[in-house]
Amino acid sequence: MRILVVEDDAVLAEGTCESLSKAGYAVDLAETGTQANSLLDAGNYDMVLLDIGLPGMDGFEVLRRLRKHNTSIPVLIISARDDVDFRIYGLDLGADDFMLKPFVLAELHARTRALLRRHVLSERNALSCGALVVDLAAQRASVNGEPIELSIREWDVLVYLLRNLGKVVRKEAIIETLCDWKTDLSVNAIEVYISRLRSKLDSHGINIRTVRGFGYLLDEPSA
Amino acid sequence: MRILVVEDDAVLAEGTCESLSKAGYAVDLAETGTQANSLLDAGNYDMVLLDIGLPGMDGFEVLRRLRKHNTSIPVLIISARDDVDFRIYGLDLGADDFMLKPFVLAELHARTRALLRRHVLSERNALSCGALVVDLAAQRASVNGEPIELSIREWDVLVYLLRNLGKVVRKEAIIETLCDWKTDLSVNAIEVYISRLRSKLDSHGINIRTVRGFGYLLDEPSA
DNA sequence: GCGCACCTGACATTAGGCTGACATTTATTT
DNA sequence: AAATAAATGTCAGCCTAATGTCAGGTGCGC
């Protein structure tokens, strides 16, 4: 998931970018409207975090241009002004959400997740967890766009974990979903799949946690 | 347990509905996709039995619409086609299980039970006491959102205390719930669990009180 | 102060989990 | 059809967290 942050305040920009990076997103920063425009033309981002109050070309202008190119990238507007007209204006221009300054990082993350889920993921029929995206239609998994090769079993287990994000899943439950009621697998087999999945995902910062005595857990990405 | 059966073949529909009714489920029948949709919008079902081959709006479309409303109702797909892509497509759309026509009623019942068990019965039901929340479905405990790591024993004891909130529980009662009548634990073991639980919970303001001579007590949160 | 119930740090033991290696099955290529 | 490669599942040895017992300490209630 690539996010473009458009923010002129250096301090705020750094905090935001760092926090999003830590959560596993690939983040770029634009400090002016024009810079934002060229970056948007070039790179393919999955979302834009847009501060309205920019020197020179302001945020609304960036948004207007973006929408002219008919892209449907979700845009989250950040602004210090709160009056209703202002907000409505932004949404009419095609923004998807609106957040008031100052904001808490947790809120930023929540809104980011919601937007990505609503737009990018649902359009693509995909599941995600931080930088990890699992495209169900295309049967492909990737982290930050870099594809991950998975065998069928690994794929199934991962999808199951993603469908139960934040929940501990029992090994028996995994076995049930894997074999269509015919074979039965040893519990150890699941451990092996998890081990193999980990060897592919750990290096990308995706951690499958073990909950001793219960099963496994894929945590929702946190701030 | 309310089940919606979506099936256009009158004979098959009748058989299925009758069988499920006899088993004690409340069953409704939809004979077309559109009918299914409106029923799903209106009534709250615990499960859907979905034939894919429908006149007009097909089963996949019904499923897609259902999932768009992000409901997590379990869906069991019934189809005469068996090729893998087809099956995968359904499951990716968010179906929970897949059954080939023709099927035996026993299998239908087995899968129905399994699905209901997995979903509805395990639907997020949480126990809480003040800031402490114990999510039974996710197998996770947290205080003010901050997760608390618990071992199985600690978990079991805590759940038991929470299920008897405000009541004094005897140590013997805890022992009974812990071991299924097999092992015999010393009373001291319970004291140790409580001690360990306290060391994890006290700092978060959750206090397990000792009632000398009787057992332990988790107080209902006071105003 | 005394006795008893309870607490808790330390320890040995156990059970659960990890993973490299191998045998077997399945898919792909030639 | 044979050869090759990939995926799968089992196993065994290793490692570590969890468990349960003990023993000495604490403190409640009389």
Side-chain angles (χ1 to χ4, degrees):
Chain A
M1 290 289 107
R2 300 173 54 81
I3 299 182
L4 177 65
V5 175
V6 187
E7 171 65 63
D8 61 313
D9 178 323
V11 179
L12 189 53
E14 196 194 343
T16 307
C17 291
E18 195 183 317
S19 172
L20 289 173
S21 292
K22 265 191 195 149
Y25 302 106
V27 185
D28 284 350
L29 174 65
E31 296 180 80
T32 66
T34 36
Q35 196 188 343
N37 259 319
S38 40
L39 280 171
L40 283 170
D41 282 347
N44 53 332
Y45 295 96
D46 298 297
M47 177 174 158
V48 182
L49 205 71
L50 182 60
D51 191 343
I52 288 300
L54 295 171
M57 181 192 296
D58 86 345
F60 285 137
E61 191 52 38
V62 175
L63 180 53
R64 201 173 295 117
R65 288 217 189 178
L66 179 64
R67 290 306 184 217
K68 216 170 227 165
H69 287 21
N70 81 20
T71 33
S72 64
I73 307 176
V75 172
L76 169 52
I77 283 187
I78 302 174
S79 161
R81 287 185 59 188
D82 187 26
D83 54 288
V84 180
D85 291 344
F86 194 74
R87 184 182 292 237
I88 287 181
Y89 182 55
L91 295 177
D92 279 349
L93 273 179
D96 300 272
D97 200 357
F98 190 100
M99 191 164 57
L100 197 63
K101 269 202 277 195
F103 55 86
V104 201
L105 284 175
E107 187 187 355
L108 170 66
H109 283 274
R111 286 179 190 264
T112 301
R113 271 200 302 275
L115 274 187
L116 285 174
R117 200 167 43 234
R118 216 158 55 225
H119 287 248
V120 183
L121 298 177
S122 71
E123 248 170 54
R124 275 193 228 154
N125 191 19
L127 299 166
S128 84
C129 170
L132 171 70
V133 177
V134 169
D135 188 325
L136 294 173
Q139 293 258 26
R140 279 174 39 197
S142 60
V143 175
N144 287 327
E146 183 187 339
I148 309 274
E149 299 291 335
L150 297 176
S151 75
I152 302 181
R153 284 273 123 118
E154 289 160 2
W155 169 271
D156 285 345
V157 171
L158 182 58
V159 167
Y160 189 69
L161 284 172
L162 283 168
R163 286 223 158 100
N164 292 281
L165 208 59
K167 284 190 202 174
V168 175
V169 297
R170 291 176 308 106
K171 292 174 196 173
E172 291 75 22
I174 299 179
I175 292 178
E176 274 188 23
T177 60
L178 289 195
C179 17
D180 264 342
W181 308 87
K182 359 175 206 196
T183 334
D184 60 338
L185 284 177
S186 70
V187 169
N188 176 254
I190 305 298
E191 292 165 7
V192 174
Y193 304 151
I194 293 285
S195 173
R196 288 174 185 154
L197 264 178
R198 277 179 174 151
S199 70
K200 293 184 180 179
L201 296 178
D202 270 4
S203 59
H204 297 274
I206 307 293
N207 307 89
I208 301 172
R209 279 177 38 201
T210 302
V211 185
R212 197 165 247 261
F214 291 106
Y216 298 97
L217 166 68
L218 204 49
D219 249 325
E220 306 191 47
S222 60
Chain B
M1 292 291 104
R2 299 170 55 82
I3 299 181
L4 177 65
V5 175
V6 187
E7 171 64 65
D8 62 313
D9 179 322
V11 179
L12 189 52
E14 197 193 342
T16 306
C17 289
E18 195 182 316
S19 171
L20 287 172
S21 292
K22 265 192 193 149
Y25 301 106
V27 185
D28 284 350
L29 174 65
E31 296 180 80
T32 67
T34 35
Q35 197 187 342
N37 257 317
S38 40
L39 280 171
L40 283 170
D41 281 345
N44 52 332
Y45 294 96
D46 297 301
M47 177 173 158
V48 182
L49 207 70
L50 183 60
D51 191 344
I52 286 301
L54 295 171
M57 180 190 298
D58 86 345
F60 284 138
E61 192 53 36
V62 174
L63 179 55
R64 203 174 293 117
R65 288 217 189 181
L66 180 65
R67 291 305 185 217
K68 220 170 220 166
H69 287 20
N70 78 22
T71 33
S72 63
I73 307 176
V75 173
L76 169 52
I77 283 188
I78 302 174
S79 162
R81 286 183 59 188
D82 188 28
D83 54 289
V84 180
D85 289 345
F86 195 73
R87 179 181 294 237
I88 286 180
Y89 183 55
L91 294 177
D92 281 346
L93 273 180
D96 299 272
D97 202 358
F98 190 99
M99 192 165 55
L100 198 61
K101 270 202 275 195
F103 55 85
V104 200
L105 283 176
E107 188 186 358
L108 170 66
H109 283 275
R111 285 175 191 263
T112 302
R113 272 198 302 278
L115 274 187
L116 285 173
R117 193 172 56 234
R118 232 169 31 229
H119 286 249
V120 181
L121 300 181
S122 71
E123 194 87 317
R124 275 195 194 280
N125 48 347
L127 298 168
S128 73
C129 169
L132 172 69
V133 177
V134 171
D135 187 327
L136 295 174
Q139 299 262 28
R140 303 184 79 185
S142 61
V143 176
N144 290 325
E146 184 188 339
I148 309 276
E149 304 287 340
L150 298 176
S151 75
I152 307 185
R153 285 273 125 117
E154 289 159 4
W155 169 272
D156 285 345
V157 171
L158 182 57
V159 166
Y160 189 69
L161 285 172
L162 281 168
R163 288 222 158 99
N164 293 280
L165 206 60
K167 290 186 211 163
V168 176
V169 297
R170 291 177 307 107
K171 291 175 195 170
E172 291 74 20
I174 298 179
I175 292 179
E176 276 182 25
T177 59
L178 288 195
C179 17
D180 277 333
W181 299 94
K182 19 181 190 184
T183 333
D184 228 351
L185 281 179
S186 72
V187 170
N188 176 252
I190 305 298
E191 293 166 5
V192 174
Y193 305 152
I194 294 285
S195 170
R196 288 175 186 154
L197 264 178
R198 278 178 173 152
S199 71
K200 291 184 182 180
L201 296 177
D202 270 3
S203 59
H204 298 274
I206 308 292
N207 307 89
I208 301 173
R209 279 174 38 202
T210 303
V211 185
R212 216 184 162 75
F214 292 96
Y216 298 97
L217 166 67
L218 202 50
D219 257 326
E220 302 190 53
S222 54

